[in-house]
Amino acid sequence: MAAGSLPQTAYLPYDDRTQTLRQIKGYPRSWTRTPAQPLIERPLTLSELTGPTGLEEKLNLGNGDFSCLTPGGPRAIGQLISVSGRVTDEDGAPLTCALVEVWQANSAGKYIHQLDRHQAPLDANFTGQGRFRTGADGSYQFRTIKPGGYPVMESDWWWRPPHIHFSIFGPSWMNRYVTQIFFPGEPLNETDLLLNGVLDPEARQRLIFQPQPTKVESGTNMLSFRLDFVLRGKNSTPALG
Ligand SMILES: [Fe+2]
């Protein structure tokens, strides 16, 4: 369809190769997450278009350090890392004060979740989840522990590489973006069905943290990674549920 014939509210469709495959061979869950029928448009309600509001007051956003349960308390086991970047639209305009939620496995590759059957220890000092808001320039930063890889038990062969899940809320409930970001140089990246469900190699690279220069400081040694999220356009960061 030519761009000129699109209704005003529509966006140009993405090149499918830059997005995650809707149905991934060997990953049955991808079938259940994908609508089997054409989508039906329905009018959006006012609260869907304008909410949520006041999240900063309603939610405990903490101090952005998820490597320990209390400031200055005992640290979770694993490699301390700092993650930073910006959230922007396709023109580089910042997504200001967006609510970002992250969740991840601990350094042994274990989630606090009743369906996690991986035989690995939990960490008493780590919940694997956190919330924060982007700044006025769309920037964000948090500390955590580098997650471990974990097996997809029903697969008999597939291990997920270390990754951090991100959810970014725009100005309304209808602007939620979800993805997973991976670490550079991980052998399991090569076989991960989800990461490689993005067929375009350049687009796939946008799902991998960029390592930052290392330095040694007294008391705060950590490795640093960066990821700049672009939420729309040809250079957008692929969504990955
Ligand atoms: Fe995960």
Side-chain angles (χ1 to χ4, degrees):
M1 182 186 294
S5 62
L6 286 169
Q8 278 192 332
T9 53
Y11 296 97
L12 286 171
Y14 289 110
D15 177 347
D16 269 354
R17 286 179 55 81
T18 67
Q19 303 298 306
T20 312
L21 286 172
R22 296 175 183 85
Q23 297 176 336
I24 298 172
K25 196 173 177 215
Y27 186 44
R29 244 181 263 174
S30 64
W31 266 261
T32 63
R33 290 172 179 170
T34 304
Q37 302 290 326
L39 300 182
I40 299 172
E41 280 195 49
R42 67 168 177 82
L44 298 174
T45 66
L46 186 61
S47 58
E48 283 175 329
L49 290 169
T50 59
T53 58
L55 283 178
E56 192 148 9
E57 298 79 45
K58 293 173 188 165
L59 301 172
N60 177 18
L61 297 185
N63 66 355
D65 185 353
F66 313 130
S67 67
C68 49
L69 297 186
T70 54
R75 184 189 293 169
I77 294 171
Q79 173 65 61
L80 182 64
I81 62 172
S82 167
V83 178
S84 63
R86 287 181 80 217
V87 184
T88 67
D89 70 10
E90 61 186 307
D91 299 318
L95 191 63
T96 298
C97 294
L99 177 72
V100 183
E101 296 179 304
V102 295
W103 63 100
Q104 62 167 94
N106 68 20
S107 61
K110 182 79 173 174
Y111 286 96
I112 302 176
H113 195 285
Q114 58 185 357
L115 294 181
D116 189 333
R117 296 186 291 119
H118 178 31
Q119 291 184 341
L122 290 173
D123 188 327
N125 297 310
F126 193 68
T127 65
Q129 54 186 302
R131 287 190 181 111
F132 51 88
R133 298 201 88 168
T134 58
D137 59 352
S139 65
Y140 70 89
Q141 180 166 24
F142 63 94
R143 284 185 195 179
T144 186
I145 297 294
K146 185 181 175 189
Y150 58 84
V152 179
M153 301 297 283
E154 56 269 23
S155 75
D156 197 32
W157 68 271
W158 176 21
W159 279 65
R160 299 295 326 279
H163 60 274
I164 298 179
H165 298 258
F166 285 77
S167 160
I168 303 175
F169 266 120
S172 83
W173 293 114
M174 305 310 290
N175 299 115
R176 189 181 181 209
Y177 164 88
V178 176
T179 199
Q180 305 177 24
I181 303 299
F182 300 78
F183 289 80
E186 293 285 339
L188 291 172
N189 288 350
E190 306 304 317
T191 52
D192 187 56
L193 294 183
L194 297 185
L195 177 59
N196 292 285
V198 180
L199 300 183
D200 180 75
E202 265 183 50
R204 198 159 61 236
Q205 201 61 31
R206 293 179 216 135
L207 291 174
I208 297 177
F209 287 121
Q210 294 175 346
Q212 299 299 287
T214 54
K215 55 186 176 183
V216 178
E217 297 173 17
S218 174
T220 56
N221 289 313
M222 65 188 87
L223 293 177
S224 298
F225 297 94
R226 181 175 183 95
L227 202 291
D228 293 322
F229 292 93
V230 179
L231 299 186
R232 196 183 292 286
K234 64 181 173 55
N235 294 318
S236 65
T237 314
L240 191 52

